Amino acid sequence: MPHKMESVTNVMEYEILAKERLPKMIYDYYASGAEDQWTLQENRNAFSRILFRPRILVDVSNIDTTTSVLGFKISMPIMVAPTAMQKMAHPEGEYATARATSAAGTIMTLSSWGTSSVEEVASTGPGIRFFQLYVYKDRNVVMQLVKRAERAGFKAIALTVDTPRLGRREADIKNRFVLPPNLSLKNFEGLDLGKIDKTDDSGLASYVAGQVDRSLSWKDVKWLQTITHLQILLKGVLTAEDARLAVESGAAGIIVSNHGARQLDYAPATVMALEEVVKAVQGRLPVFLDGGIRRGTDVFKALALGASGVFIGRPVVFSLAVDGEAGVRKVLQMLHDEFELTMALSGCRSIKEISRSHITTPWDPPRITPRL
């Protein structure tokens, strides 16, 4: 039975409620990070070290949170990140997430490892959707998948570039994680790649080792551009060096991401790596961020550091687990409302008014107080 939504007042509360109602194996799969989970904590903690410099006595009677991403107008700079196997959280899975995201007027990214296919998600109705891609060893599989995403009306590819091998997620190893038998990776079902078998390790880690291409390199980004007309976002960039190579590669954008702290532990928090990447691209392509967004204040901080938008992952699966489509809708609504309030209290009426001078960070040079 759905939890009374009225009693949920912030995004974090959904995680507590989800833990109460999900089987341990499933909750652990969604919640855990790699190894010591240092980066998992740091993704959140880093935001708390960034403070506001709010501007007062600005007429904030009208606040506009709308923005454009890759030429698509959306209601707010908050989008849905790709998260795998959503039917483990709720029977409606990706269908519910698609409907909620569309109702909120923003973008959903469907995971390659969805428990619903690109065609099924498209069938939920209109909406701007991106498709997250893992590159399999068998390139025919990749070509088929990309073509299907195009035909289903997806507008961009988010190519995950931080997963030549799966990170060490010790809860999954302990639990011997496996996709529940009634579910499958729907995009791969017809290709006999839809099942994740039980192993002595994490079933997903074994699946990745067998199927995902460890040789993926910059030449493959070029190859991908020859097989699709869709814009390509590179998801998993954390350094200036790779940001510059991303520009040269012809990518349409970058998602600064450490894969929800699930890949390389002791990688920096994404909000700590963001400014380095933004400075490196010199405005030549948009930079987005995922990882650790739980409040509207977090969204504002990312935009003040130069992000064009953010993606949320775990808040979606946890709210989905608790209250299905309505839960996801509520998370998006809460983040929208908090973000709008942060804008008002900072003296910003539109996205373009959010600037670096609206925040202060531990690495800022000392401010010289202007003399009047």
Side-chain angles (χ1 to χ4, degrees):
M1 63 124 219
H3 188 268
K4 274 184 66 62
M5 284 228 306
E6 291 71 45
S7 59
V8 175
T9 56
N10 66 55
V11 168
M12 283 77 72
E13 286 172 1
Y14 275 118
E15 177 163 1
I16 298 157
L17 295 169
K19 186 172 188 176
E20 290 168 8
R21 75 188 47 207
L22 286 172
K24 178 175 163 55
M25 181 189 80
I26 292 172
Y27 172 79
D28 285 353
Y29 170 72
Y30 290 142
S32 60
E35 296 183 359
D36 300 330
Q37 304 193 115
W38 182 86
T39 298
L40 186 67
Q41 301 305 312
E42 181 67 4
N43 269 353
R44 285 295 306 128
N45 293 341
F47 278 105
S48 68
R49 298 195 292 271
I50 299 168
L51 304 179
F52 292 121
R53 301 184 68 249
R55 302 300 307 275
I56 55 163
L57 296 172
V58 176
D59 175 355
V60 289
S61 44
N62 289 303
I63 303 276
D64 179 11
T65 63
T66 63
T67 192
S68 278
V69 167
L70 301 186
F72 301 101
K73 191 165 188 195
I74 54 176
S75 64
M76 57 181 173
I78 305 166
M79 298 164 282
V80 171
T83 51
M85 308 176 231
Q86 292 179 11
K87 282 185 182 175
M88 293 196 308
H90 186 277
E92 291 178 18
E94 294 82 3
Y95 287 82
T97 301
R99 290 191 296 259
T101 309
S102 185
T106 190
I107 294 166
M108 170 182 177
T109 316
L110 174 67
S111 169
S112 273
W113 296 336
T115 36
S116 311
S117 67
V118 288
E119 293 84 2
E120 288 171 332
V121 167
S123 78
T124 61
I128 304 155
R129 301 187 183 104
F130 295 170
F131 180 67
Q132 175 271 336
L133 181 68
Y134 282 117
V135 175
Y136 279 50
K137 291 173 184 171
D138 182 345
R139 293 309 159 87
N140 287 322
V141 167
V142 178
M143 288 173 77
Q144 280 186 55
L145 210 47
V146 169
K147 287 290 163 239
R148 282 171 55 199
E150 281 184 10
R151 276 202 302 275
F154 284 69
K155 299 294 187 235
I157 301 286
L159 176 68
T160 298
V161 294
D162 59 10
T163 313
R165 299 171 57 173
L166 204 70
R168 181 174 175 84
R169 306 162 191 180
E170 291 177 1
D172 291 349
I173 297 168
K174 277 190 174 60
N175 295 333
R176 304 213 169 158
F177 173 80
V178 64
L179 185 60
N182 59 314
L183 299 177
S184 73
L185 303 181
K186 269 290 196 303
N187 284 314
F188 298 99
E189 214 176 37
L191 303 157
D192 287 330
L193 295 168
K195 284 290 171 200
I196 294 176
D197 303 316
K198 199 167 181 80
T199 62
D200 289 338
D201 190 5
S202 153
L204 186 63
S206 305
Y207 178 86
V208 168
Q211 301 302 335
V212 172
D213 194 346
R214 296 183 183 186
S215 79
L216 189 70
S217 70
W218 290 103
K219 71 176 183 335
D220 299 293
V221 177
K222 285 281 187 221
W223 170 76
L224 203 51
Q225 291 167 312
T226 69
I227 68 159
T228 182
H229 64 269
L230 297 180
Q231 301 183 80
I232 297 165
L233 295 169
L234 298 187
K235 177 178 179 285
V237 173
L238 289 170
T239 64
E241 294 89 328
D242 284 335
R244 284 188 281 269
L245 290 170
V247 172
E248 290 166 29
S249 78
I254 285 171
I255 305 172
V256 173
S257 174
N258 52 34
H259 209 118
R262 292 158 75 81
Q263 282 298 102
L264 180 63
D265 201 19
Y266 300 97
T270 49
V271 77
M272 291 288 136
L274 176 59
E275 199 162 33
E276 169 179 329
V277 171
V278 167
K279 284 177 171 163
V281 303
Q282 297 179 319
R284 288 173 292 186
L285 44 78
V287 176
F288 306 96
L289 172 140
D290 71 29
I293 300 280
R294 300 292 180 272
R295 286 279 190 190
T297 49
D298 301 331
V299 181
F300 186 101
K301 289 169 185 181
L303 267 61
L305 286 168
S308 294
V310 303
F311 290 85
I312 55 166
R314 288 185 185 89
V316 171
V317 289
F318 292 141
S319 59
L320 183 65
V322 174
D323 214 4
E325 181 182 339
V328 179
R329 185 75 192 85
K330 171 115 182 179
V331 153
L332 290 167
Q333 188 66 52
M334 286 190 296
L335 285 172
H336 171 274
D337 293 350
E338 289 178 12
F339 174 59
E340 185 181 61
L341 180 60
T342 305
M343 285 176 67
L345 296 178
S346 294
C348 298
R349 293 161 291 201
S350 65
I351 301 302
K352 69 174 189 300
E353 286 187 354
I354 301 174
S355 77
R356 184 62 171 79
S357 67
H358 285 100
I359 58 164
T360 174
T361 71
W363 60 90
D364 283 358
R367 270 188 188 277
I368 310 301
T369 317
R371 282 216 165 67
L372 291 177

